[in-house]
Amino acid sequence: MKLIINNLSKTYDNGVKALQGVSLEISNGMFGLLGQNGAGKSTLMKTIATLQDADSGSIWLDGLDVVKHPEEMRKHLGYLPQDFGLYPTVSAEDMLQYIARLKGISNQQQRDDQVDYLLQKVNLFNVKNKKLGTYSGGMKQRFGIAQALLGNPKVIIVDEPTAGLDPLERNRFYNLLSEIGENTIVILSTHIVEDVSTLCNEMAVIGTGKVLLNGQPASIESSLNGKLWEAQIDKDSLPAVSKNFTIISQRFHLGKMIVTVLAAQQPDERFTAKKPGLEDVYFHLLEQQGRNLN
Ligand code: ADP
């Protein structure tokens, strides 16, 4: 299956150009859409989910014209929005039963089977009778995935699903997402690089409404092979380093400052070669973007 997004643009009434000619091809598997807050991710997700119209451009799911036939798209769609509201006094099981009916699963037995199956899958079966208002952040997000999976959708969209989860919950959530079928398109939008590097086989970076980078994380990482150097430095020598070299990132490790710089050769004897990670490429891209804007 293939989702083809072609030259999508959207300008909001206040003049913000949230999407500026976005084109992407998304196949089965986990696709990561990475970008900072305000990059245009939610606008794109909502447009694919047919909750919002673009000004121009097209979206195709195999032979289906999504813009012309949003109701057809909705039959194949599971969506976990960023601001996922829950009815706090309803139990997980009752809520899933209700949503299953809305999604058109009219056969009671089928509904029961699917609700049971999904509650098991997201590891909430033992707490299925508890009110949703009593769930932790991680449990709520797992419930959100269960409701998105009702009706066996072909396209699943999850918008910033790990924001606000603690590391343990995030790990559980990663495991759950990675188990979703290979025959499904899963689009995961996030500002967290680790979400993409852990889970996704294809990705795009979006910034100010444009696709800045698109490909497989591994080959995107390798674009900086041999160009990254890392050193532990005194905080005081940071200005000198930043004057002479392009700093990709600076972080503290055990109280010491570690800088990563971009250079064709070893900058000086303090620096050792660093194997590039997705975060380095992303930071480099943001740094370049920032320079272009200034
Ligand atoms: P992201 O999901 O990457 O944070 P959004 O798609 O939410 O990005 O937002 C992209 C840009 O569009 C931002 O500048 C945001 O302020 C603006 N924006 C989003 N929704 C609206 C809206 N309904 N009206 C006006 N501007 C909006």
Side-chain angles (χ1 to χ4, degrees), residues 161-182:
T162 63
L165 297 189
D166 67 38
L168 205 65
E169 286 177 330
R170 180 169 295 173
N171 239 338
R172 268 198 211 123
F173 196 71
Y174 283 162
N175 286 332
L176 172 60
L177 278 182
S178 66
E179 278 172 19
I180 295 177
E182 307 246 297

Side-chain angles (χ1 to χ4, degrees), residues 27-32 177-178 180 184 186-188 199-202:
S27 306
N28 287 341
M30 190 81 69
F31 185 92
L177 278 182
S178 66
I180 295 177
T184 316
V186 183
I187 308 175
L188 167 82
L199 288 171
C200 299
N201 48 348
E202 288 280 337

Side-chain angles (χ1 to χ4, degrees), residues 45-192:
M45 301 291 98
K46 284 184 205 157
T47 311
I48 299 170
T50 74
L51 295 172
Q52 190 172 298
D53 291 330
D55 300 330
S56 58
S58 62
I59 305 174
W60 290 84
L61 179 64
D62 285 342
L64 172 68
D65 184 337
V66 173
V67 176
K68 273 208 183 115
H69 301 287
E71 69 297 337
E72 270 304 305
M73 176 63 170
R74 281 175 213 143
K75 288 184 194 161
H76 303 297
L77 183 77
Y79 182 43
L80 175 56
Q82 204 171 343
D83 40 13
F84 179 53
L86 289 173
Y87 293 93
T89 57
V90 180
S91 75
E93 184 177 34
D94 289 348
M95 194 67 213
L96 284 183
Q97 282 281 352
Y98 176 72
I99 299 171
R101 242 176 274 139
L102 287 184
K103 284 201 174 179
I105 310 168
S106 51
N107 181 291
Q108 175 78 52
Q109 186 63 47
Q110 265 182 15
R111 217 162 49 221
D112 291 350
D113 288 350
Q114 248 195 63
V115 166
D116 270 10
Y117 169 78
L118 287 172
L119 283 167
Q120 302 267 15
K121 189 168 170 107
V122 302
N123 206 8
L124 290 174
F125 193 80
N126 294 334
V127 287
K128 65 179 181 170
N129 294 320
K130 285 206 169 153
K131 289 177 179 162
L132 290 167
T134 67
Y135 276 15
S136 71
M139 289 158 85
K140 281 179 185 154
Q141 286 305 68
R142 281 186 274 139
F143 175 82
I145 285 293
Q147 64 80 28
L149 288 174
L150 277 170
N152 296 318
K154 292 180 186 166
V155 180
I156 296 167
I157 295 176
V158 285
D159 199 355
E160 300 266 2
T162 63
L165 297 189
D166 67 38
L168 205 65
E169 286 177 330
R170 180 169 295 173
N171 239 338
R172 268 198 211 123
F173 196 71
Y174 283 162
N175 286 332
L176 172 60
L177 278 182
S178 66
E179 278 172 19
I180 295 177
E182 307 246 297
N183 302 323
T184 316
I185 292 176
V186 183
I187 308 175
L188 167 82
S189 108
T190 182
H191 63 272
I192 300 164

